[in-house]
Amino acid sequence: MTSDLVNRLRKAGYKITPPRLAVLEVIQRESEHLNPNEILVQAQRIHPQTGRATVYRTLELLTTLGMVRPIYVGDSGPTYIRAEGGHHHLVCSGCGRVIDFDECVVESMERELEERFGFCIQSHLLEFYGICACCREASRVTKEG
Amino acid sequence: MTSDLVNRLRKAGYKITPPRLAVLEVIQRESEHLNPNEILVQAQRIHPQTGRATVYRTLELLTTLGMVRPIYVGDSGPTYIRAEGGHHHLVCSGCGRVIDFDECVVESMERELEERFGFCIQSHLLEFYGICACCREASRVTKEG
DNA sequence: CTGATTGCAAAAATTTTGCAAGCCT
DNA sequence: AGGCTTGCAAAATTTTTGCAATCAG
């Protein structure tokens, strides 16, 4: 729920403003990875006056607080995802397609890393890169067809 | 070895030019994650005439070929790493420090994902985000005096 | 009230592009 | 020789900044 993130913002001593709420809601409800411009456009549907600079400032704030984080997924430019829990992607280098999957064995590593490095781990990102079936098929056709 | 990447470039039908060699060498020898500007500067030490545009063009080419890939590690802006094998980072949300670690249990997941999604997996990135001991200490001091 | 936050527009930084010249193969 | 590749500088895009006005608490 968004209210969870809102509370974290509030507890950290930041004011809850319409543009911040809008950005939070957009990031919360979109499973897709949105870039700053897309976030701006969607945030403006919620709070029309939202300015581009505010989106950047909010994203930076949320990133600092560890609530979202930027990643690349094939295409160009940064994209933001929620930082909670884990994100598991299968990214095709050929077409840029991104498949999400759930199973993840890395939780088992967290405890050990925390002890070894004195970290308090909050989330993780696991991405595999390769070529999807379609692209492999396409390149075969191209080269051998 | 760099020659490995050079061969892949050549096999893919691209010409082996001084700027491309320079960029490859920089990426190959630096364990750090370099941004385009840093890559330019270092490449120019090897081949002084190297232009900025060529660095961008080369990075795009290498990314398309799956030889490098851009990632974010806390600070702002993209950074490039070799796409081979795995990359394992422990990233502090507080200070941005990045610790590399070797152990990784995800290889065991690759086979299953390949079968399930028809992917041919070439590399992976596993990152844990959290707060390092120093930053936890610092915030405790700050808040509790 | 008061200071954090905003939106705007300008400034800065980053990335892309057009094109003639140059270099791999 | 032929065409991919380059470097340059300009153009486009993305991100940051300054500042007066506004708003949350």
Side-chain angles (χ1 to χ4, degrees), chain B residues 10 15-16 18 36 52-53 56-57 78:
Chain B
R10 194 187 333 254
K15 293 182 177 174
I16 307 306
R52 171 169 265 107
Y56 279 98
R57 286 188 281 231

Side-chain angles (χ1 to χ4, degrees), chain B residues 78-107:
Chain B
T79 268
Y80 287 78
I81 58 177
R82 297 188 291 282
E84 60 197 38
H87 290 271
H88 313 109
H89 305 140
L90 203 44
V91 184
C92 179
S93 307
C95 58
R97 189 155 65 115
V98 178
I99 297 173
D100 286 42
F101 61 90
D102 291 327
E103 301 72 18
C104 189
V105 302
V106 306
E107 273 86 357

Side-chain angles (χ1 to χ4, degrees), chain A residues 15-75:
Chain A
K15 294 182 176 175
I16 307 304
T17 65
R20 280 177 180 167
L21 279 174
V23 169
L24 273 181
E25 184 164 338
V26 168
I27 288 174
Q28 186 65 33
R29 77 176 178 207
E30 292 299 322
S31 58
E32 279 201 68
H33 320 116
L34 303 170
N35 65 36
N37 192 58
E38 291 165 337
I39 291 172
L40 171 68
V41 171
Q42 298 220 24
Q44 288 180 330
R45 292 218 195 104
I46 299 171
H47 180 66
Q49 306 96 305
T50 305
R52 171 169 265 107
T54 299
V55 169
Y56 279 99
R57 287 187 281 232
T58 302
L59 288 173
E60 189 194 354
L61 173 62
L62 297 178
T63 300
T64 300
L65 292 178
M67 294 167 65
V68 306
R69 70 171 262 96
I71 63 169
Y72 274 113
V73 283
D75 6 47

Side-chain angles (χ1 to χ4, degrees), chain B residues 14-56:
Chain B
Y14 295 93
K15 293 182 177 174
I16 307 306
T17 65
R20 281 177 179 168
L21 279 174
V23 170
L24 274 180
E25 184 164 338
V26 169
I27 289 174
Q28 187 65 32
R29 78 178 178 205
E30 292 300 320
S31 58
E32 279 200 70
H33 319 116
L34 303 169
N35 64 36
N37 192 59
E38 291 165 337
I39 291 173
L40 170 68
V41 171
Q42 298 220 24
Q44 288 180 330
R45 292 220 195 104
I46 299 172
H47 180 67
Q49 306 95 303
T50 305
R52 171 169 265 107
T54 298
V55 168
Y56 279 98

